[in-house]
Amino acid sequence: MTADSPDQSPPSVPSFSDVLNLLLRAQARAHPNRPGEFIEPTNTEIADAINAKHGTGTITNEHIRRLRNGQVKSPSVQMASVLAGFFQLPLDVFNATGSETSRKVMEEVQRFVDARRQSESSEPPTVAVLARTTRRLSPRGQARVVQYAQRLRELEAMENETGPA
């Protein structure tokens, strides 16, 4: 089979909603009480953040819903630009022709989402909760957690040497 073979289809170009939803999966935060689960930003949270930056009425949560579910297939350049700005990415990320920039960004975002979910699912639930909680602490608080963990490890080592009490 040659590259010109009619049986070989070109790589599919993700739709605007595919790109938008992948970017939102990457923005998802870890669920505080359910390790391995993530909470994507809501349409209202997205609209509120955009409207705070660009002015009330720039976008509605309903319009975001329609973009996410594919009802709006091709938003205006201005709207795509606002959304790209929300993610702090170039407008080209939404390029419907499958530009090199768009392809590379989407591959990296997908790798990030996959790696994050893999690392979360491979940790015991208590470790995942501890890691997420520790990330929210100040640097000083994080240093204290490390000290407590080291002391606890030393205590367990001493208990293992002396046997059960």
Side-chain angles (χ1 to χ4, degrees), residues 24-123:
L24 289 168
R25 277 195 299 281
Q27 294 281 318
R29 58 194 180 277
H31 194 292
N33 301 319
R34 290 186 240 156
E37 290 186 31
F38 295 85
I39 304 167
E40 290 181 18
T42 66
N43 299 341
T44 300
E45 289 170 335
I46 299 162
D48 288 349
I50 291 171
N51 289 329
K53 182 175 181 179
H54 297 281
T56 304
T58 301
I59 195 166
T60 65
N61 61 343
E62 175 61 17
H63 191 67
I64 293 170
R65 184 191 67 78
R66 294 177 71 220
L67 289 166
R68 290 180 78 174
N69 71 21
Q71 286 178 313
V72 175
K73 304 239 184 270
S74 183
S76 69
V77 172
Q78 179 184 0
M79 187 55 59
S81 179
V82 165
L83 287 165
F86 173 78
F87 295 107
Q88 298 178 344
L89 291 170
L91 175 59
D92 201 33
V93 74
F94 291 115
N95 189 334
T97 62
S99 73
E100 186 69 12
T101 301
S102 177
R103 185 185 62 73
K104 285 180 179 179
V105 168
M106 296 310 354
E107 285 174 1
E108 284 302 312
V109 170
Q110 186 64 58
R111 271 195 286 277
F112 168 77
V113 169
D114 293 344
R116 184 171 71 171
R117 293 180 194 249
Q118 177 61 36
S119 71
E120 278 281 330
S121 64
S122 64
E123 293 177 334

